[in-house]
mmCIF file of all heavy atoms in Angstrom:
data_model
loop_
_atom_site.group_PDB
_atom_site.id
_atom_site.type_symbol
_atom_site.label_atom_id
_atom_site.label_comp_id
_atom_site.label_asym_id
_atom_site.label_seq_id
_atom_site.Cartn_x
_atom_site.Cartn_y
_atom_site.Cartn_z
ATOM 1 N N ARG A 219 3.543 -11.820 10.228
ATOM 2 C CA ARG A 219 4.355 -12.909 10.722
ATOM 3 C C ARG A 219 5.385 -13.398 9.572
ATOM 4 O O ARG A 219 6.219 -14.166 9.790
ATOM 5 C CB ARG A 219 3.520 -14.128 11.108
ATOM 6 C CG ARG A 219 2.713 -14.785 9.997
ATOM 7 C CD ARG A 219 1.747 -15.808 10.800
ATOM 8 N NE ARG A 219 1.008 -16.556 9.742
ATOM 9 C CZ ARG A 219 1.254 -17.699 9.275
ATOM 10 N NH1 ARG A 219 2.559 -18.264 9.655
ATOM 11 N NH2 ARG A 219 0.459 -18.354 8.319
ATOM 12 N N PHE A 220 5.126 -12.824 8.409
ATOM 13 C CA PHE A 220 6.030 -13.152 7.259
ATOM 14 C C PHE A 220 7.031 -11.950 7.033
ATOM 15 O O PHE A 220 6.730 -10.834 6.617
ATOM 16 C CB PHE A 220 5.200 -13.368 6.017
ATOM 17 C CG PHE A 220 4.168 -14.397 6.037
ATOM 18 C CD1 PHE A 220 2.876 -14.275 6.079
ATOM 19 C CD2 PHE A 220 4.704 -15.787 6.183
ATOM 20 C CE1 PHE A 220 2.017 -15.248 6.051
ATOM 21 C CE2 PHE A 220 3.682 -16.799 6.288
ATOM 22 C CZ PHE A 220 2.386 -16.575 6.221
ATOM 23 N N LEU A 221 8.251 -12.202 7.496
ATOM 24 C CA LEU A 221 9.332 -11.263 7.449
ATOM 25 C C LEU A 221 10.388 -11.735 6.332
ATOM 26 O O LEU A 221 10.404 -12.870 6.058
ATOM 27 C CB LEU A 221 9.991 -11.023 8.770
ATOM 28 C CG LEU A 221 9.006 -10.531 9.915
ATOM 29 C CD1 LEU A 221 9.772 -10.406 11.173
ATOM 30 C CD2 LEU A 221 8.338 -9.192 9.441
ATOM 31 N N PRO A 222 11.186 -10.834 5.798
ATOM 32 C CA PRO A 222 12.145 -11.194 4.822
ATOM 33 C C PRO A 222 13.043 -12.237 5.315
ATOM 34 O O PRO A 222 13.496 -12.278 6.550
ATOM 35 C CB PRO A 222 12.935 -9.885 4.541
ATOM 36 C CG PRO A 222 11.825 -8.821 4.902
ATOM 37 C CD PRO A 222 11.090 -9.341 6.043
ATOM 38 N N PRO A 223 13.487 -13.150 4.376
ATOM 39 C CA PRO A 223 14.511 -14.244 4.792
ATOM 40 C C PRO A 223 15.661 -13.548 5.350
ATOM 41 O O PRO A 223 16.296 -12.601 4.717
ATOM 42 C CB PRO A 223 14.651 -14.982 3.508
ATOM 43 C CG PRO A 223 13.457 -14.752 2.682
ATOM 44 C CD PRO A 223 13.043 -13.333 2.993
ATOM 45 N N GLU A 224 16.352 -14.209 6.252
ATOM 46 C CA GLU A 224 17.665 -13.580 6.935
ATOM 47 C C GLU A 224 18.748 -13.739 6.051
ATOM 48 O O GLU A 224 19.653 -13.045 6.088
ATOM 49 C CB GLU A 224 17.911 -14.339 8.288
ATOM 50 C CG GLU A 224 16.877 -13.970 9.293
ATOM 51 C CD GLU A 224 17.228 -14.619 10.578
ATOM 52 O OE1 GLU A 224 18.234 -15.402 10.658
ATOM 53 O OE2 GLU A 224 16.559 -14.542 11.631
ATOM 54 N N ASP A 225 18.722 -14.646 4.991
ATOM 55 C CA ASP A 225 19.718 -14.838 4.014
ATOM 56 C C ASP A 225 19.768 -13.886 2.967
ATOM 57 O O ASP A 225 20.611 -13.908 2.026
ATOM 58 C CB ASP A 225 19.798 -16.320 3.461
ATOM 59 C CG ASP A 225 18.540 -16.669 2.657
ATOM 60 O OD1 ASP A 225 17.653 -15.775 2.493
ATOM 61 O OD2 ASP A 225 18.458 -17.756 2.259
ATOM 62 N N GLY A 226 18.800 -12.922 2.955
ATOM 63 C CA GLY A 226 18.767 -11.944 1.875
ATOM 64 C C GLY A 226 17.986 -12.313 0.599
ATOM 65 O O GLY A 226 17.965 -11.524 -0.340
ATOM 66 N N ALA A 227 17.398 -13.484 0.596
ATOM 67 C CA ALA A 227 16.683 -14.060 -0.480
ATOM 68 C C ALA A 227 15.407 -13.251 -0.786
ATOM 69 O O ALA A 227 14.939 -12.600 0.165
ATOM 70 C CB ALA A 227 16.343 -15.459 -0.450
ATOM 71 N N GLY A 228 14.912 -13.209 -2.022
ATOM 72 C CA GLY A 228 13.703 -12.583 -2.268
ATOM 73 C C GLY A 228 13.843 -11.410 -3.241
ATOM 74 O O GLY A 228 14.992 -10.804 -3.230
ATOM 75 N N ARG A 229 12.795 -11.029 -4.007
ATOM 76 C CA ARG A 229 12.929 -10.031 -5.002
ATOM 77 C C ARG A 229 12.461 -8.680 -4.328
ATOM 78 O O ARG A 229 11.483 -8.656 -3.778
ATOM 79 C CB ARG A 229 12.166 -10.383 -6.297
ATOM 80 C CG ARG A 229 12.286 -9.358 -7.407
ATOM 81 C CD ARG A 229 11.611 -9.748 -8.684
ATOM 82 N NE ARG A 229 11.828 -8.883 -9.760
ATOM 83 C CZ ARG A 229 11.266 -8.931 -10.953
ATOM 84 N NH1 ARG A 229 10.247 -9.812 -11.143
ATOM 85 N NH2 ARG A 229 11.448 -7.994 -11.822
ATOM 86 N N GLN A 230 13.274 -7.770 -4.332
ATOM 87 C CA GLN A 230 12.997 -6.447 -3.775
ATOM 88 C C GLN A 230 11.831 -5.717 -4.562
ATOM 89 O O GLN A 230 11.938 -5.630 -5.758
ATOM 90 C CB GLN A 230 14.224 -5.473 -3.675
ATOM 91 C CG GLN A 230 15.261 -6.068 -2.839
ATOM 92 C CD GLN A 230 15.001 -5.957 -1.323
ATOM 93 O OE1 GLN A 230 14.209 -5.196 -0.942
ATOM 94 N NE2 GLN A 230 15.470 -7.010 -0.692
ATOM 95 N N SER A 231 10.847 -5.248 -3.866
ATOM 96 C CA SER A 231 9.658 -4.532 -4.417
ATOM 97 C C SER A 231 9.111 -3.460 -3.369
ATOM 98 O O SER A 231 9.570 -3.470 -2.392
ATOM 99 C CB SER A 231 8.624 -5.511 -4.771
ATOM 100 O OG SER A 231 8.079 -6.156 -3.623
ATOM 101 N N ALA A 232 8.202 -2.821 -3.926
ATOM 102 C CA ALA A 232 7.534 -1.685 -3.110
ATOM 103 C C ALA A 232 6.173 -1.517 -3.552
ATOM 104 O O ALA A 232 5.778 -1.751 -4.612
ATOM 105 C CB ALA A 232 8.413 -0.383 -3.235
ATOM 106 N N VAL A 233 5.365 -1.054 -2.549
ATOM 107 C CA VAL A 233 4.028 -0.640 -2.850
ATOM 108 C C VAL A 233 3.714 0.769 -2.332
ATOM 109 O O VAL A 233 4.510 1.212 -1.369
ATOM 110 C CB VAL A 233 2.926 -1.608 -2.269
ATOM 111 C CG1 VAL A 233 3.057 -3.077 -2.807
ATOM 112 C CG2 VAL A 233 3.096 -1.653 -0.766
ATOM 113 N N LEU A 234 2.806 1.499 -2.882
ATOM 114 C CA LEU A 234 2.463 2.834 -2.502
ATOM 115 C C LEU A 234 1.166 2.736 -1.745
ATOM 116 O O LEU A 234 0.153 2.349 -2.411
ATOM 117 C CB LEU A 234 2.425 3.745 -3.699
ATOM 118 C CG LEU A 234 2.118 5.280 -3.264
ATOM 119 C CD1 LEU A 234 3.006 5.830 -2.519
ATOM 120 C CD2 LEU A 234 1.705 6.052 -4.544
ATOM 121 N N ILE A 235 1.081 3.037 -0.511
ATOM 122 C CA ILE A 235 -0.161 3.122 0.266
ATOM 123 C C ILE A 235 -0.492 4.691 0.282
ATOM 124 O O ILE A 235 0.054 5.519 1.110
ATOM 125 C CB ILE A 235 0.077 2.678 1.756
ATOM 126 C CG1 ILE A 235 0.577 1.152 1.683
ATOM 127 C CG2 ILE A 235 -1.247 2.723 2.492
ATOM 128 C CD1 ILE A 235 0.819 0.594 3.037
ATOM 129 N N LEU A 236 -1.331 4.984 -0.629
ATOM 130 C CA LEU A 236 -1.700 6.308 -0.864
ATOM 131 C C LEU A 236 -3.101 6.910 -0.374
ATOM 132 O O LEU A 236 -4.082 6.351 -0.729
ATOM 133 C CB LEU A 236 -1.675 6.647 -2.335
ATOM 134 C CG LEU A 236 -1.868 8.040 -2.861
ATOM 135 C CD1 LEU A 236 -0.680 8.982 -2.261
ATOM 136 C CD2 LEU A 236 -1.914 8.170 -4.351
ATOM 137 N N PHE A 237 -2.956 7.740 0.648
ATOM 138 C CA PHE A 237 -4.080 8.290 1.310
ATOM 139 C C PHE A 237 -4.529 9.678 0.658
ATOM 140 O O PHE A 237 -3.607 10.621 0.411
ATOM 141 C CB PHE A 237 -3.832 8.619 2.881
ATOM 142 C CG PHE A 237 -3.740 7.385 3.666
ATOM 143 C CD1 PHE A 237 -2.464 6.810 3.868
ATOM 144 C CD2 PHE A 237 -4.932 6.887 4.204
ATOM 145 C CE1 PHE A 237 -2.262 5.656 4.672
ATOM 146 C CE2 PHE A 237 -4.687 5.646 5.048
ATOM 147 C CZ PHE A 237 -3.492 5.130 5.298
ATOM 148 N N GLY A 238 -5.718 9.776 0.325
ATOM 149 C CA GLY A 238 -6.257 11.103 -0.154
ATOM 150 C C GLY A 238 -7.510 11.502 0.573
ATOM 151 O O GLY A 238 -7.958 10.961 1.524
ATOM 152 N N GLU A 239 -8.141 12.574 0.005
ATOM 153 C CA GLU A 239 -9.418 13.126 0.663
ATOM 154 C C GLU A 239 -10.340 13.211 -0.434
ATOM 155 O O GLU A 239 -10.153 13.959 -1.441
ATOM 156 C CB GLU A 239 -9.163 14.390 1.290
ATOM 157 C CG GLU A 239 -10.243 14.736 2.199
ATOM 158 C CD GLU A 239 -9.789 15.598 3.443
ATOM 159 O OE1 GLU A 239 -8.600 15.885 3.563
ATOM 160 O OE2 GLU A 239 -10.588 15.724 4.397
#
Side-chain angles (χ1 to χ4, degrees):
R219 65 188 181 95
F220 299 113
L221 302 180
E224 294 182 0
D225 63 3
R229 190 175 183 188
Q230 295 292 326
S231 64
V233 296
L234 180 65
I235 304 177
L236 184 59
F237 290 91
E239 192 147 11

